[in-house]
Amino acid sequence: QLQASGGGLVQAGDSLRLSCAPSGRTFSSHIMGWFRQVGGKERDFVAAIRWGTGRTYYKDSVKGRFTISRDSAKNTMYLQMNSLSPDDTAVYYCARANGYSTSSRDYYNWGRGTLVTVSS
């Protein structure tokens, strides 16, 4: 499973950096993704990165504010979130996929998420 960490309570305009530490080896062909979930709604794609090349993908609403990155040596993925707004409030999860997708159904190794709360 993949454990997300780094969430917390912040004010609008603040920044947070989330981390995801995969268990087991991450192959260069893998896609690592961040999703977020509000209440009982479906998990929503936020960003993804291809582990080998570092190519990144983003949800339109976070482009320019969020940056996904990885440290291959540490086998860790990050999500730098800037200019946070209350609409970003959610539980954030990380997961792995065999190919790029924005559907949570294509991802696996879901672990416990981390709560991000942005107050106005």
Side-chain angles (χ1 to χ4, degrees), residues 70-86:
R70 90 276 195 245
D71 185 330
S72 299
K74 295 182 179 179
N75 202 33
T76 301
M77 176 176 68
Y78 304 97
L79 185 68
Q80 177 67 42
M81 305 186 296
N82 299 328
S83 302
L84 284 163
S85 76

Side-chain angles (χ1 to χ4, degrees), residues 3 13 16 24 28 33-34 37 39 43 45 52 55 60 65 68-69 74 77 84-85 89-90 104 106 117 120:
Q3 297 302 322
L16 272 178
S28 61
W34 286 100
Q37 186 174 32
R43 289 178 184 176
F45 172 80
R55 181 178 178 178
D60 284 346
R65 299 189 300 124
I68 188 171
S69 63
K74 295 182 179 179
M77 176 176 68
L84 284 163
S85 76
T89 295
S104 62
D106 294 322
T117 303
S120 58

Side-chain angles (χ1 to χ4, degrees), residues 59-114:
K59 175 184 177 70
D60 284 346
S61 64
V62 307
K63 284 180 181 177
R65 299 189 300 124
F66 291 10
T67 302
I68 188 171
S69 63
R70 90 276 195 245
D71 185 330
S72 299
K74 295 182 179 179
N75 202 33
T76 301
M77 176 176 68
Y78 304 97
L79 185 68
Q80 177 67 42
M81 305 186 296
N82 299 328
S83 302
L84 284 163
S85 76
D87 289 341
D88 297 315
T89 295
V91 177
Y92 285 71
Y93 297 87
C94 56
R96 179 184 281 127
N98 293 328
Y100 172 62
S101 173
T102 59
S103 172
S104 62
R105 289 184 288 272
D106 294 322
Y107 287 75
Y108 53 95
N109 289 157
W110 298 93
R112 190 169 60 185
T114 186

